[in-house]
Amino acid sequence: MNSSSAGLLRRLQESLELVPKAQQRVLRAMLKDPAAIVNSTIEQIAREAGVSMPSVIRACRNFGYDGFRDFMLALAQDLAVSNHQLHRSVSFNDAAPEVAAKIVQSAISSLAALERQLDIELLDTVARKIAHASRVDSYSVGSTSAFMSQELQTRLFRLGINANAFSDPHQQLISASSLDENGIAFVISHVGSMPFALEAAQVAKSRGATVVALTQAGTPLAEQAHLTIAVSVPQDAIMRVSTEAYLAHLLVIEILAVRVAQNLGPGTIKKLKLFKDVLEQHGVDSVLHTNI
């Protein structure tokens, strides 16, 4: 894969007359409205250009990318650093309806891409390990990852899993040093390069625990983990970790929680219903209390 997305739009323009006719039609469709095309599927682009889907794939590979998804991520990154300073799909002068539509459509596109990129077999492996783990300790970096870590801990706790969430580096090291071979260190960091999280992961590995990472592919954390749930979303124009990244992380946690529950067996449903009933009886999570 071509790791540099810088100047991709310019390269498309410069190559317009140099590629085969079918690929020219693909490039023209892309250059007509790059901000809109970046949220399109391969089928939509092929239809817009009047070519076959293999022609779209060949056009992407012609610029050094392994496939359509890598190409579109690079195009989104180029748009983020070149034309858009507020959001990767929003221009400064867009009206409110356009802003709302573009942001929602960007999120929908990213989540649709997530479904295609997830390694379901790996997710199932992680779910099975969590269901039988002696302890699952989740480590996070930054406020967004801390929220995700707490969400994972809450969901696993309700399933009867011995789970904790740690955002403090000292507590992460203490946790990691006390894990055993049946324990899991679940590290959440989209950026995946903070030294103290990597250090905690390394300590957990030295204790024989399984290290699971929820991060981008190719990060130092991904390389260090035993099992990496790789999540890639287009780069945001401003924030290092975009809204689309934590929406994707939340969905991964949701999938894992459901699969863990299924691995634990039918008795889990009874437990969850019991928790729900108890909370309602005591006025927590109850429809009787509407002052949210």
Side-chain angles (χ1 to χ4, degrees), residues 59-112:
C60 296
R61 289 177 175 170
N62 194 43
F63 289 87
Y65 296 90
D66 293 338
F68 177 76
R69 184 176 65 84
D70 290 331
F71 179 91
M72 297 306 280
L73 284 173
L75 182 59
Q77 290 169 355
D78 196 31
L79 283 169
V81 299
S82 58
N83 298 330
H84 303 274
Q85 287 76 47
L86 298 176
H87 182 274
R88 68 182 179 89
S89 299
V90 177
S91 297
F92 189 80
N93 294 320
D94 282 343
E98 294 174 299
V99 171
K102 287 182 176 181
I103 290 176
V104 170
Q105 289 303 315
S106 292
I108 290 171
S109 176
S110 289
L111 296 182

Side-chain angles (χ1 to χ4, degrees), residues 16-38:
L16 194 54
E17 303 300 327
L18 304 177
V19 296
K21 295 294 184 183
Q23 293 185 34
Q24 286 182 24
R25 290 197 289 270
V26 173
L27 298 191
R28 287 195 179 93
M30 291 178 173
L31 291 167
K32 181 180 179 181
D33 189 354
I37 212 74
V38 79

Side-chain angles (χ1 to χ4, degrees), residues 219-242:
T219 64
L221 176 59
E223 299 300 324
Q224 191 171 114
H226 294 107
L227 298 167
T228 296
I229 303 171
V231 171
S232 297
V233 297
Q235 182 178 323
D236 188 83
I238 298 175
M239 299 183 293
R240 188 73 183 274
V241 181
S242 67

Side-chain angles (χ1 to χ4, degrees), residues 4 46 62 85-86 95 99 104-105 114 134 141 154 181 194 197 213 232 238 253 273 289:
S4 173
N62 194 43
Q85 287 76 47
L86 298 176
V99 171
V104 170
Q105 289 303 315
L114 174 70
S134 58
V141 179
T154 300
E181 64 275 8
M194 288 297 287
S232 297
I238 298 175
I253 290 170
K273 186 179 184 306
H289 296 263

Side-chain angles (χ1 to χ4, degrees), residues 239-254:
M239 299 183 293
R240 188 73 183 274
V241 181
S242 67
T243 301
E244 292 168 18
Y246 56 77
L247 285 174
H249 283 197
L250 277 175
L251 284 180
V252 167
I253 290 170
E254 175 83 8

